[in-house]
Amino acid sequence: KDVSTFTADMLIEYLKKANPSQLAIDTATSETVQLLLADIQKHGCEASGKYARDLDGWHGSIVMSDDDFANASKKLSQGVKDDIVFAHARVKDFALRQRESLHEFEVELIDGLIAGQKLIPVNTAGCYVPGGRYAHAASAIMSVCTAKVAGVPNIVATSPGHKDAGINPAILHTMKLCGADIVLALGGVQGIAAMAYGLYSPKPADVIVGPGNRFVAEAKRALYGRIGIDVLAGPTESAIIADETADVNLVTADLAGQAEHGPDSPVWLYTTSRDLGLKVIELMPSVIAALPELARNAATAAWRDYGEVVLVGSREEMVEISDQYAPEHLQVFAKDLNWWLTHLTNYGSLFLGEETTVAYGDKCAGPNHILPTRGAARYSGGLSVGKFIKTVTYQRLTQSASRAVGQVAARISRLEGMEGHARTGDIRLKKYYPQEAFELGTLAGHQH
């Protein structure tokens, strides 16, 4: 057991503590991404197509056609398509409510000074949908549907085309259902670069969203500024808050279920019950062992290297430690759920009560599952319609309002030493009120 002081007056006990190997900054990933981006920027479609062939084994067309969408749909059972429709409806409905919560307004701040706010969607959104270890059809809904609801007029989506199979049929069908205008069979850096540089669409993307591997994340980071991005996503994180009333079997199943995301996906349990914490540690190996091989291998490594069980003395201390970790997903198995909703502040998405679970949010409940990781929940939320919408402002003044504002602007400008700014106020005051004298301030460091 490792005991450490979390704050000056808070003693916490790690019943299990993560002990990941120390990793240096992955300069190799960065260097690889920079080389690929430079090559694709220089050689365009030729280079992106080459990487699709070399890295994904895809030799088909990069831009998907109506026949490709139709063939993908034929490969899916009606039951699968019905489930996708259900998930799409929930996510679309939640996104519509988000959009309705954003408002344009216009206000008269003083007589003759009109100021306002407009909400303008970006012109082009790029949506990356991973297609590696798992077929992330739900991710296509989260990104493409949300951009569509935001009112983006041009949506480009991309996902890896694997050898002869191409894009996973469920992903391809979902992209079309959600309203993607152009779909590309490109994964990794080449997919991000193609959208950023506008290789297969009329315009380059203004914003690129969606999760991916470390190369995708690094490409987004490298291009940030040229484009907007959602989050710099790291491995999926999940935490559970549990008191003595929690069902240990549900807690263990949910931790194991999230650990299957990948071998470096942290799963954390914060609890006030020593018995619960020790029982979870006891049960976890058998729960993970019962998973299919792909999930079992990922969850085994994730729990071994990144799993933590933290014992604390009170629910207030659970709030404190959870807010310090700022997990991407946070579940609460405890009494008085409204108390937790009121007091918790740092999380990507919150799941209250044993009746819900992260998987519901991941797949079809409604709120977006593209969320902040690595502590970014301290200052950022997940993907929403707002990511695709610019909140811009405007101003309009009458001559009388310009008289009131111009004097103050001139004086503050001179206080700051900005004579050019001040004179833009002076000239208007002289034009509109030529017979009137104004106190226009003294340039900082100078006698007027």
Side-chain angles (χ1 to χ4, degrees), residues 232-262:
L232 288 171
T236 294
E237 306 162 349
S238 293
I240 291 179
I241 284 173
D243 64 12
E244 72 282 357
T245 68
D247 184 325
V248 66
N249 293 307
L250 291 180
V251 171
T252 307
D254 286 2
L255 290 171
Q258 287 301 299
E260 78 173 342
H261 272 285

Side-chain angles (χ1 to χ4, degrees), residues 330-365:
L330 178 58
Q331 293 179 253
V332 178
F333 290 75
K335 295 174 291 188
D336 197 0
L337 295 178
N338 285 333
W339 185 90
W340 298 96
L341 180 60
T342 299
H343 288 83
L344 290 162
T345 60
N346 294 344
Y347 50 82
S349 193
L350 184 62
F351 302 79
L352 293 162
E354 73 166 39
E355 295 82 5
T356 188
T357 179
V358 173
Y360 293 177
D362 278 348
K363 308 306 176 187
C364 60

Side-chain angles (χ1 to χ4, degrees), residues 56 128-137 139 158-162 166-168 171 175 186-188 211-213 216:
D56 296 325
Y128 186 88
V129 180
R133 183 184 288 109
Y134 305 109
H136 292 284
S139 281
T158 191
S159 192
H162 294 290
I167 296 176
N168 179 277
I171 291 176
M175 287 173 167
L186 287 172
N213 62 21
V216 169

Side-chain angles (χ1 to χ4, degrees), residues 121 176 225 258 263 315 333 367 416 447:
K176 184 66 172 179
Q258 287 301 299
R315 66 181 186 176
F333 290 75
E416 295 175 344
Q447 296 296 320

Side-chain angles (χ1 to χ4, degrees), residues 41-61:
Q41 185 173 22
K42 182 177 181 180
H43 296 107
C45 297
E46 178 186 350
S48 63
K50 175 172 69 73
Y51 292 124
R53 294 188 296 273
D54 295 347
L55 300 178
D56 296 325
W58 174 244
H59 293 264
S61 174

Side-chain angles (χ1 to χ4, degrees), residues 286-297:
S286 62
V287 173
I288 291 175
L291 294 171
E293 183 180 5
L294 185 66
R296 182 172 68 245
N297 292 341

Side-chain angles (χ1 to χ4, degrees), residues 113 395-410 413-414 419-438 440:
L113 168 52
Q395 301 164 47
R396 182 170 64 243
L397 278 72
T398 62
Q399 289 186 11
S400 63
S402 186
R403 179 184 185 279
V405 173
Q407 301 174 62
V408 178
S413 295
R414 290 193 167 95
E419 181 63 19
H421 279 60
R423 291 182 183 182
T424 64
D426 297 350
I427 193 171
R428 284 166 173 78
L429 293 170
K430 186 175 181 180
K431 176 180 180 180
Y432 303 144
Y433 302 97
Q435 306 303 317
E436 193 168 348
F438 297 96
L440 299 176

